[in-house]
Amino acid sequence: MAWMKRTAVGLVAVALLAGTGAAVYVQRSFAALDGKLSVAGLAQAVQVQRDAADVTHVRAQTPQDAWFAMGYVHAQERTWQLEFNRRVMHGELSELFGPATLETDKLMRALDIMGVARRQYAGLPPYAKEALQAYSQGIHAFHNQRPQALPPEFLLLGAKPGGDRRAVWEPEDSVGWALMMALDLGGNWGTEFARLSVARTLDTDRLWQLMPPYPGEKPAATADLAALYRQLGVYRAAGAGSTAAVPGSAAEDVAGVAGRQAQGPLSRQISAGMLAWADELTRNAGTNEGKGSNNWVIAGTRTVSGKPLLANDPHLGLSAPAIWYFAGLQAPAGKAADGTPIAPIDAVGATLPGLPFVVLGRTDKVAWGFTNTGPDVQDLYLEQINPADPTQYRTPDGWAPFTVRNETIRVKGEADVKVPLRSTRHGPVLSDAQKSHAEVLDLGKYVLALRWSALDDDNQTVVAGFKTNQSKSVDELFAGLAHYHSPMQSVVAADDQGTIRFKAAGRAPLRDAANDIRGVAPSPGWDARYDWKGWIPYDQTPQDDGSKGWIATANQRVTAPDYPHFLTQDWALPYRYDRIAQLIEATPKHDAASMQAIHRDITSLAARRLLPYLQQAQSSHALAAAAHKQLQGFDGVMDANKPAPLIFAAWTDELARGLIVPRIGEDRFTATYGKRDYRAALEGILERNDTWWCQPATCAEQSAAALGRALDRLQAAYGADPAQWRWGAAHPALSVHRPFGNVPALARFFDVSVPSHGDGYTVNVGQYNAGEASGPFVNRHAASLRAVYDLADLEQSRFIYQTGQSGLVFSPRYRDMSTTWAATGYRGLQREPARWVHTLTLTPDTAAK
């Protein structure tokens, strides 16, 4: 008995010590928010203050110290986020995660993100380089004398900030991160490749029915794409292996390698989760379908105050921590080391960890908001390989050698992988990094190379970021945005003098009049008529001065019918724009409350268009009558608390599968479905009552069968009473942590999930990926922030986003905005708040000097 008592006491003591140690670690992981910290690298003291909305305000006495302190703060709050993002763009994830992320690393190396970033950084004006250097130095200063414990991600993964080189964030990395945003928002190469793939089984007319041009327009390409690709013999032979050995492909079965790797249970779960993430990233790279944003600005003639109102909600993939960090920067005018004058900095709004300026927000005089314009700035080129010498490809002037760059990727638990990567006169050969190309193309004859504007050495997008933070009027703002390059953004702006304006800022190519493909699908790379011919001048990009009293963009076509240049045919369907226009016109005089009401709107005009076909579906399913009862009175309002939106979403998914899979095949459908929901195709098929697509049944029978399959799925998942089903249960807004979002034991701590309204076509957007095997209706892409700016009193501006300011999972500030965001609430966005909740003073470390 004495022995048992001593053992019990010992176990209790160990548990108490472990608990105490854990508590100490948790406390030590928090960012220092108050007091004083001596920091090497600062010239003068900087005040870092948090207000009641938890917005971080950096008040410095020089611009350089402001940028330095912004780097320090980002490192305080988002250390793991910076590390993960750095590894993504460097193609160094496999050092941590093994072969699961090898394909992502290959893609980043093939695009040469960091090689391009270094060249672009070298071309920046000296003051911009100095700003990025100061920001990088602030991040390094935090790590050199880290006053807090590393976040748990580093401990669980055995990682070090900056890896073995301790290069936690270099100035070029900020340029690289701007390129990664362009990759996320500025791509359509995936859409081009999808057309190439589908053209193998559909003739060109059917291809345009499956992937229609913008409503009211003809297909941009006049070429017979299906005939062209058959004539060229681009497709691999039926039954041929999908991993043909070609110079530079280095293709291998990553899943098999991951399965062979000796791992513990946690490592296996992390590896499996990262494999799924990497597969999605590489599969969906180069597509902006399913991505979108809203912004609108209302002139003083249409507002209660007589001054403009502006709203913005950029839609991005949801992550935990969020992509944004809200901060204010203030500093007086200064000079760069070369004597270049630097204007005063005075801005507050959304920053991106990795960049030292406010990306979206306001100064004391002007506010602005972005949506993605989505021009076609990526063209794929079929590069014909010389059959006599596979190191050469065909050009307008004959055969030319591929440029070959050899990369070595370090892989945890495996030998290094050496990858030869080719490029042509157009750009990188994507077929060396995307396994899907080997499943479609005969890579012994052709590869696909990418021409992408963002990779040009003269990309100075970061300069535009600095300029916006110094602007005092709409005119100054757009003058600064003349430096903006990629990705092109539809910018609305307003100032306190009453000016409103829209302009598309960024670079878009000019194409030859003889170009009969116009970049909507891969073009023969040896034919010079498909090469770009220059750029649309900045003064000729789409613009609007708001003569009708308001301007709105929601990724719809922003060009007038007589616009002289071709931008794209792949605009987003105009449902969100049409709904915003309805709501603006419905109110004679707007105020901040009516702007917020538009943000809350969950009426799906797209659902209204297809709804009659669902309501008419005559299914013999046992739950059909109960389901139709729930659909009574449903008018496309995608309410999280209702069953009808869930029934509608499941039916549209099953209808797409039932109509399209028999025509293009399961594999091709799986490869192209997901963020692309084929909604426009479904609308056309049902409205035409198209017997070719609906065969061997009628379209009405196909609709009824889709309803039956949908009810089977919903019954299995949610029970046999449709009255108890809820859209919000199937459609939570899920902000996923990387890499722990796919680890069941950790996801509930690291992920942020709240029920959500909407669908991909509502103003309050809730984009889901129906191609996901797990959680097909989960809202993964939504308003990454919402903001409303009142130019009558900019201190009354409001914002919100979906997680919290801290990226430290133990912090109460990690997810404290999530429920407010889901309810479409807001926090104040002020430059001069009434009180400070926290004040931290960063002082120069004189000893370090």
Side-chain angles (χ1 to χ4, degrees), residues 317-334:
L318 301 181
S319 63
I323 192 171
W324 303 110
Y325 182 84
F326 267 72
L329 288 89
Q330 291 186 29

Side-chain angles (χ1 to χ4, degrees), residues 28 58 114 147 174 182 192 269 333 375 386 397-398 405 409 433 441 552 566 609 627 691 698 760 777 779 789 818:
R28 288 192 60 236
V58 173
M114 289 313 303
S174 292
E192 292 183 35
Q269 291 181 44
N386 187 346
D397 301 316
R405 177 168 42 86
I409 301 175
L441 292 172
F566 174 74
R609 185 166 176 178
T691 56
T698 67
F777 304 121
N779 178 3
Y789 306 95
S818 59

Side-chain angles (χ1 to χ4, degrees), residues 540-772:
Q540 295 179 32
T541 63
Q543 53 192 359
D544 183 349
D545 288 332
S547 58
K548 66 180 177 182
W550 60 271
I551 312 165
T553 78
N555 317 109
Q556 85 288 358
R557 184 179 68 186
V558 294
T559 56
D562 60 349
Y563 185 68
H565 305 298
F566 174 74
L567 284 181
T568 183
Q569 73 164 26
D570 294 322
W571 309 101
L573 293 173
Y575 292 116
R576 283 182 287 110
Y577 170 79
D578 290 345
R579 183 60 179 167
I580 292 168
Q582 286 179 359
L583 295 170
I584 290 175
E585 290 291 358
T587 300
K589 295 284 187 177
H590 283 272
D591 57 15
S594 67
M595 301 285 275
Q596 295 168 14
I598 298 175
H599 267 159
R600 284 192 292 272
D601 190 78
I602 53 174
T603 295
S604 173
L605 299 184
R608 285 183 177 179
R609 185 166 176 178
L610 284 185
L611 187 57
Y613 300 96
L614 172 58
Q615 292 170 330
Q616 295 161 16
Q618 300 297 312
S619 172
S620 60
H621 195 282
L623 298 184
H628 276 296
K629 183 178 180 180
Q630 296 304 318
L631 291 169
Q632 292 175 6
F634 176 55
D635 193 24
V637 176
M638 306 299 283
D639 189 330
N641 301 306
K642 301 292 185 181
L646 178 57
I647 298 169
F648 176 82
W651 170 75
T652 56
D653 179 34
E654 290 296 336
L655 186 63
R657 296 173 187 276
L659 295 180
I660 299 171
V661 170
R663 306 281 80 85
I664 68 173
E666 183 73 46
D667 290 345
R668 196 162 285 111
F669 178 83
T670 300
T672 57
Y673 191 51
K675 291 181 179 178
R676 176 182 299 106
D677 63 4
Y678 289 118
R679 181 61 64 88
L682 294 182
E683 293 169 352
I685 291 168
L686 294 181
E687 290 168 359
R688 291 190 307 270
N689 194 23
D690 195 313
T691 56
W692 187 88
W693 285 97
C694 293
Q695 63 178 304
T698 67
C699 291
E701 289 168 343
Q702 288 280 16
S703 179
L707 176 58
R709 295 192 301 272
L711 294 176
D712 282 339
R713 285 173 57 185
L714 297 178
Q715 181 176 4
Y718 304 106
D721 182 3
Q724 299 301 313
W725 299 346
R726 295 291 180 269
W727 178 227
H731 187 248
L734 180 62
S735 298
V736 178
H737 180 276
R738 297 295 173 215
F740 298 148
N742 289 93
V743 180
L746 300 175
R748 64 193 184 98
F749 300 106
F750 286 88
D751 287 354
V752 178
S753 180
V754 288
S756 66
H757 303 288
D759 70 2
Y761 302 98
T762 52
V763 178
N764 184 359
V765 76
Q767 179 71 39
Y768 56 87
N769 183 344
E772 286 278 348

Side-chain angles (χ1 to χ4, degrees), residues 135-450:
Y135 179 75
S136 169
Q137 289 162 4
I139 295 174
H140 277 271
F142 170 80
H143 285 284
N144 289 340
Q145 55 186 86
R146 192 180 307 118
Q148 63 197 68
L150 280 172
E153 291 92 337
F154 289 94
L155 303 183
L156 289 169
L157 294 168
K160 294 179 289 188
D164 292 338
R165 296 186 301 278
R166 302 288 177 148
V168 291
W169 195 270
E170 299 306 305
E172 298 90 342
D173 290 333
S174 292
V175 180
W177 194 238
L179 281 173
M180 291 300 294
M181 294 304 299
L183 178 63
D184 186 47
L185 294 172
N188 81 325
W189 92 62
T191 302
E192 292 183 35
F193 182 74
R195 291 191 177 110
L196 172 72
S197 177
V198 169
R200 182 170 190 173
T201 56
L202 297 180
D203 63 33
T204 300
D205 288 342
R206 302 291 185 196
L207 169 64
W208 291 123
Q209 291 174 353
L210 180 64
M211 304 176 73
Y214 193 71
E217 296 183 358
K218 295 180 179 179
T222 57
D224 186 338
L225 298 175
L228 172 66
Y229 298 143
R230 284 196 300 268
Q231 178 185 351
L232 292 175
V234 303
Y235 298 111
R236 71 180 180 90
S242 63
T243 53
V246 293
S249 69
E252 60 180 302
D253 183 355
V254 176
V257 173
R260 293 193 302 271
Q261 189 178 20
Q263 298 174 325
L266 180 62
S267 295
R268 282 196 298 271
Q269 291 181 44
I270 293 173
S271 179
M274 291 304 294
L275 180 61
W277 172 81
D279 178 69
E280 181 185 4
L281 186 149
T282 53
R283 180 164 55 90
N284 290 320
T287 176
N288 56 21
E289 294 202 35
K291 300 175 182 178
S293 303
N294 306 315
N295 63 16
W296 63 95
V297 60
I298 301 179
T301 56
R302 296 288 304 270
T303 68
V304 173
S305 70
K307 291 287 188 177
L309 292 160
L310 187 148
N312 190 199
D313 54 296
H315 308 158
L316 297 169
L318 301 181
S319 63
I323 192 171
W324 303 110
Y325 182 84
F326 267 72
L329 288 89
Q330 291 186 29
K335 286 187 178 181
D338 68 346
T340 301
I342 301 174
I345 302 169
D346 188 354
V348 62
T351 70
L352 286 169
L355 293 170
F357 46 74
V358 171
V359 177
L360 295 171
R362 69 179 186 88
T363 66
D364 60 334
K365 302 289 185 182
V366 60
W368 67 94
F370 287 3
T371 70
N372 206 29
T373 312
D376 186 349
V377 295
Q378 291 180 341
D379 279 3
L380 288 181
Y381 289 91
L382 286 160
E383 307 288 20
Q384 186 175 9
I385 296 172
N386 187 346
D389 183 356
T391 66
Q392 296 181 330
Y393 70 100
R394 186 180 174 189
T395 78
D397 301 316
W399 301 106
F402 287 100
T403 300
V404 180
R405 177 168 42 86
N406 293 298
E407 293 278 344
T408 299
I409 301 175
R410 296 174 59 187
V411 183
K412 182 180 180 180
E414 301 279 338
D416 292 352
V417 174
K418 298 185 183 302
V419 187
L421 297 167
R422 295 172 291 181
S423 60
T424 72
R425 67 193 187 93
H426 294 115
V429 173
L430 290 184
S431 303
D432 289 349
Q434 291 202 284
K435 293 193 298 181
S436 57
H437 291 194
E439 297 164 1
V440 175
L441 292 172
D442 182 344
L443 295 183
K445 295 181 179 178
Y446 298 95
V447 292
L448 288 172
L450 173 69

